[in-house]
Amino acid sequence: MNLDRRMQFFVVLATVFVTSLVVGDLIGVKLFEVNLGFVISVMSMGMLPFPVTFLLTDLLNEFYGKKAARFVTWVGFFMAIFAYTVIAIAVQIPFAPLTRSPDFTGTVESAFVNVFSGSQRILVASMVAYLVAQFCDITIFNLLKRITKNKQLWLRATGSTLVSQLIDTVVVQFVAWTGVLPTDIIFKIILTSYAVKMVVAVGLTPFIYLGHALVERKLGIKPVVLGEDGEPIAEPAPEVAVATETRVA
C-alpha cells in the first residue's frame, strides 16, 4: 500500500469528518440560546461540530472528487448508527449495585440514561437530514465547479453549504417536531436556526481558502479538475510523466 501524502490527507479528512458527526450527535442533547438581536433562538449544541462536516465535505469534493465525498458521507452515516447501537446496548445493561450507594460520586444511572437515551425520533430526523443535506452539498458543489470551469472557489463552497444547510434545517425540524409542535413554531425554529447557519457558512469561507492554500502549498496536493461531464480529468501518474520526458530528451 502506497501511503503517500494524498492518501494520508484523505484519511485525516475522513477521520475528522466522522468524529465531528458522531460527537455532534452525542452533545446534541444540550441546548443553548443564541441572541440574534430581534429574537432569541434555542439551539442544539450539535450545531458546534456539524458545520465542520460541511467544510470537510467541500475539501473532499475539491481535492478528491464527488465519489470520494459520497463514500465518506456513507461511512459517517454507518459509524453514527454504530455509535448509537453501542450506546443503546450500554443503556440497557444494568448499573452495578455500588453506584446506588448514597456516597457514590461517579456517574449514576439516572444521569447516564438521561444523557444517552435521547429521543429516537430526533435521531431519525438527524440522520435523514444529514444524508439529504450532504448529498445535496456534494452535488451542488460539483455542479458549480463544472459551471464555473473550476474557478470561483468561494461560490461553490459557500453556495453549496447555504443550500444544503437550508435543506438540513427544514428536514430535521419537520421530521422531529411535526405533530409535536405547532407549524408556526416549527417555521420560527427553522428561520432562526438557518439564520445562524448562514452566518457560520459565510464565516467559514475564508477557512476554505486557507485550507485550499495549505493543502496545495504545504502538501503539494492539487485539486481535481472537472471535465465537461462533471467527472475528474485523470492526470498522468508521475512515473509515466518522467518516462515520457526521458524519451523526449
Side-chain angles (χ1 to χ4, degrees):
M1 179 180 180
N2 182 23
L3 197 61
D4 58 10
R5 281 188 174 183
R6 190 173 187 85
M7 178 60 70
Q8 290 174 347
F9 185 56
F10 176 80
V11 172
V12 170
L13 289 179
T15 303
V16 177
F17 178 93
V18 174
T19 302
S20 298
L21 176 65
V22 174
V23 169
D25 285 336
L26 292 177
I27 66 176
V29 294
K30 179 177 180 178
L31 301 179
F32 68 101
E33 288 186 348
V34 177
N35 191 337
L36 300 177
F38 59 93
V39 66
I40 296 178
S41 176
V42 177
M43 307 186 70
S44 166
M45 192 58 70
M47 278 283 297
L48 186 62
F50 277 137
V52 177
T53 63
F54 288 93
L55 173 63
L56 295 174
T57 300
D58 288 346
L59 289 175
L60 285 164
N61 220 338
E62 180 73 4
F63 289 95
Y64 298 93
K66 63 181 181 181
K67 290 183 178 179
R70 287 173 177 171
F71 173 75
V72 174
T73 295
W74 279 115
V75 171
F77 174 77
F78 287 113
M79 289 303 98
I81 296 299
F82 172 74
Y84 271 93
T85 300
V86 173
I87 290 171
I89 295 173
V91 169
Q92 295 302 316
I93 297 176
F95 268 64
L98 67 88
T99 62
R100 299 185 179 91
S101 174
D103 59 348
F104 181 72
T105 58
T107 302
V108 296
E109 184 174 5
S110 58
F112 185 87
V113 173
N114 189 44
V115 171
F116 287 106
S117 62
S119 169
Q120 293 300 309
R121 181 167 179 169
I122 297 295
L123 170 61
V124 172
S126 176
M127 289 296 96
V128 171
Y130 161 76
L131 281 182
V132 175
Q134 282 293 134
F135 284 119
C136 176
D137 182 87
I138 293 168
T139 300
I140 294 176
F141 186 98
N142 186 268
L143 176 63
L144 291 175
K145 185 171 184 177
R146 178 160 52 93
I147 291 175
T148 58
K149 300 186 184 302
N150 302 284
K151 299 177 181 179
Q152 305 296 333
L153 174 61
W154 68 269
L155 178 61
R156 58 181 177 270
T158 306
S160 62
T161 300
L162 287 177
V163 176
S164 59
Q165 287 281 23
L166 175 60
I167 293 174
D168 176 87
T169 305
V170 172
V171 172
V172 73
Q173 299 302 338
F174 268 107
V175 174
W177 304 118
T178 296
V180 178
L181 296 176
T183 303
D184 61 325
I185 298 297
I186 296 176
F187 274 111
K188 287 181 180 179
I189 295 175
I190 290 173
L191 290 176
T192 53
S193 298
Y194 184 62
V196 174
K197 290 181 178 181
M198 285 180 64
V199 173
V200 173
V202 174
L204 284 176
T205 302
F207 293 96
I208 287 284
Y209 276 91
L210 177 61
H212 195 281
L214 288 175
V215 173
E216 281 201 85
R217 296 173 186 175
K218 299 298 182 181
L219 300 181
I221 301 175
K222 299 296 182 183
V224 295
V225 178
L226 301 182
E228 294 183 357
D229 59 353
E231 294 298 326
I233 298 175
E235 296 182 359
E239 60 270 15
V240 174
V242 172
T244 303
E245 292 174 2
T246 302
R247 286 197 298 272
V248 172

